[in-house]
Amino acid sequence: MVDFHRFSLANGLRVLVHEDDTTPMAVLNILYDVGARDEEQDKTGFAHLFEHLMFGGSINIPSYDEPLQRVGGENNAFTSNDITNYYITLPAVNLETAFWLESDRMLSLAFSEKSLETQRNVVCEEFKQRYLNQPYGDVWLKLRPLAYKTHPYQWATIGQDLKQIEDAKMEDVKAFFKKHYNPQNAIMVVGGNVKTADVKALAEKWFEPIPGGEKYHRNLPKEPLQTAAQRESVHAEVPLNSIYMAFKMPARLHPEYQAYDLMADVLSQGQSSRLYNSLLKEQQLFSEIHAYITSSIDEGLFVIEGKLVQGVPVGTAEEAIWTELKRMAHQEVSDHELTKVKNKSESIMVFAEMSLLDKAMNLAYYELLGNAEDLNTEIDRYLSVTPQRILQAAKTTFVEEQCSTLYYLTAKDA
Amino acid sequence: MLNRTLAPESKQVDEISFIEPLKQTLDNGIPVFTINAGQQELVRIEFIFENVNWDPAKPLQAVAANHLINNGTAQLTAMEIADKVDYYGAFLQTEYGADQSSVKLYTLNKHLASVLPILHAILNESIFPDQELGIFIQNQKQSLQVSLQKNDFLAKKHFANALFGETTYGSNIRPADYDELNRLDLLQYFKAAYKPGNCTIIVAGKFEDTEFHTLNQIMGRDWDNNEPSEINKFTFDPIAGSDIFIEKPDAIQSAIRMGTLAITRNHADFPGLQVLNCILGGYFGSRLMANIREDKGYTYGIGSAISSLKDAGYFFLATEVGADVCQLALTEIENEIGLLKTELVGEEELDLVRNYMLGAMLGSLENAFSHADKFKNVYFSGLDYTYYGNYIKTVKTISAEHLKELANRYLNISDFTKVVVGKK
């Protein structure tokens, strides 16, 4: 149970407070309702590049990191296809420093040319390190455009290529800030050894003077129903053949979302799961096999990926995956299997409450989805899933025409 | 009018409270250290075993025994073990470290009595079936083949091997080494290492007398394993500095890893060296990050650390940089280390680092698990909580002169082993 209080400022900023006096620390988490899905097709990777620029100094404070470290704090941020999330942890006695820093960069950045130039380079190195200079690193750069033809989920948060990042201009940076970085598009969560009244006073002092800005109204192209199987084979300098299969699944707020999540667990959570036992242990077709969902806010992906045991024909391996998926679509999961994955979900949620930062991030994310209170009732939605609903999910989803299959093969098999 | 250019008032962290564990003993003599804290009805129980009987001809014996310990007992198949643990929503993890091997259980308290018997079975009756070993060998070899294509993995492996040779700290594992594994070697290791006399239990979470009683009833009986063992003991001579270059003509980034043998946590200089390391590469605002990432944009990240193992301590720094700027990055790294040896750290920077480190220490004590981790750090180094008192005092008071001395004592780049994988 994660308790919280909620209030809004006159400029539209929503604030949630989670009091936890078992820690001497505090967290200030700000979620901006902007992700890679909000980018233009010819300026991809921008939301993420912008996240880097948010550390390049703000209008009244030349350095963001330095004053925070000076009071014993740490910070970081991440960008996804849906959101951009910034967080600070620091000793609770120094909480006001976090308000000072976060409010100033919400007010306005410094827009320094030097920062833009450096962070373009840093992000290009990040692109190389994580996506280009790693075996299989560019899989998602290929799988996304295979699965999505219209929706901006067709590109990864890092962007489509290095060139678009290298071309980023200061005028783009300023326009992006104006459009997305204002109180109306943000949710702030303050947690830890804090009192709601104090947080309210600090929020009014530091954040309320910021102009509300214009509310961004998202209007993204909808992905049409996939009616033909998509297939692609790539060859690269990798040691093992691998398969990626992506099926469309419902959006995060769809009532069947939890059935899909549990279905992925039945297939792949832990060493007692179906794919692990059937494909890796019994048939020994794969040396690694996983099923998971992307959990995106708009229509997401249900993914199966595996690395093949050397010598196994890739067609045989794919066929074996299909056999398991069809079994899922023809026969209800047993009560034992379903209880098992529900118990596991319950454990994971209780363990997540060990971390103050996780609690704060979760509150912000559920508030974005609609209501932070839903975090505390989420487990009930998992526990109410039935074998019939999983069967229905499998029937709807595991259809060949709706599958995007990527073979990622060793160069020697070319 | 609000003046946004002025920082709010702040305080240095003053009070840092550590929760020290309660020590109890199971009927069979296993010491149990418990951090009983937290709001959630859950617990982590770690069964930790010293690594023993090191045989350089069998570098994978201990790690394979650890990995496969939950893959079959006289009564239960690997699938049945996993299914029982998963059914109760518990997590069973095995972990092989340079000095210790462990089996960790995470569970909600309500399922503790149901899952502990599985653990008892694993620790007493594992049989290491040939079938499971075969799958392990096949899949680990494949996984290693993938890792061997990663420049940072290669840099790490060659660096460790140069410093520590064929020991658990540095063993240079090749895919073919997996083929040497056999069931009897695993059983032999299991019987020698996984026994009460070689076990320490660390508990963190909600753990009262009732839970201890449950633990003692199930795990406090005699265990089956009791073969002789000798705890690993290594000594390392200082080695001359060297350059190791592994060329990857197609690399678009080069992995750099360099460092040298240093001191362990037991050494009086250790806390001071941690302050020095923090300044150089131990946090986001460090000199290496400020220069090589934030000023030059050569990398996504660069960092340094001091690692304290049981029989050796070492300093290292690591990064991946654009292949075209590798030389420039190496020069900047040398410059930064050189500056620490020749110039005093300024008061403003030192104050910042003091505050940052104290805040980081406070923040690292988030929950019962992290308090238990702090205990393990000192316990397995043969230290007690006075270490942390001393650490905090050092962070608050160490002088710039002393830091310069430490840089000259420990950071001599001519003694470094420098590994570059990629292009120079």
Side-chain angles (χ1 to χ4, degrees), chain A residues 199-212:
Chain A
V199 170
K200 193 154 193 286
L202 286 170
E204 285 166 357
K205 175 178 175 185
W206 291 104
F207 282 91
E208 203 147 55
I210 301 172

Side-chain angles (χ1 to χ4, degrees), chain B residues 40 122 138 186 216 256 277 283 286 300:
Chain B
Q40 289 74 34
I122 288 169
Q138 167 185 283
L186 301 194
N216 190 35
I256 299 172
N277 173 69
Y283 73 122
S286 70
Y300 177 50

Side-chain angles (χ1 to χ4, degrees), chain A residues 1-5 16-27 90-93 95 189-196 199 350-360 363, chain B residues 37-40 363 365-368:
Chain A
M1 184 71 182
V2 185
D3 297 317
F4 64 92
H5 298 281
L16 281 70
V17 186
H18 167 63
E19 298 181 1
D20 175 358
D21 63 8
T22 66
T23 167
M25 302 294 285
V27 166
L90 78 175
V93 289
L95 179 63
V189 178
V190 183
N193 204 333
V194 301
K195 293 277 174 263
T196 304
V199 170
V350 179
F351 275 93
E353 290 181 18
M354 300 278 289
S355 157
L356 174 62
L357 181 59
D358 285 358
K359 287 189 286 188
L363 283 174
Chain B
Q39 311 294 302
Q40 289 74 34
L365 294 167
E366 175 170 56
N367 55 38

Side-chain angles (χ1 to χ4, degrees), chain A residues 219-233:
Chain A
N219 183 17
L220 302 180
K222 220 176 138 33
E223 184 71 20
L225 181 72
Q226 182 176 336
T227 54
Q230 301 291 310
R231 301 191 76 89
E232 191 179 329
S233 291

Side-chain angles (χ1 to χ4, degrees), chain B residues 366-381:
Chain B
E366 175 170 56
N367 55 38
F369 296 174
S370 30
H371 278 282
D373 294 341
K374 283 285 180 294
F375 171 68
K376 284 191 286 181
N377 280 345
V378 288
Y379 179 74
F380 288 108
S381 298

Side-chain angles (χ1 to χ4, degrees), chain A residues 34 50 57 64 91 94 106 129 170 183 213 221 240 362 398 408:
Chain A
V34 56
F50 192 87
Y64 178 87
N94 293 333
M106 189 184 284
Q129 182 173 328
M170 185 55 85
L240 309 171
N362 279 329
F398 299 138
Y408 201 109

Side-chain angles (χ1 to χ4, degrees), chain B residues 86-101:
Chain B
D86 286 342
Y87 184 78
Y88 292 109
F91 294 86
L92 186 66
Q93 293 174 355
T94 58
E95 188 178 301
Y96 175 76
D99 293 313
Q100 285 103 16
S101 303

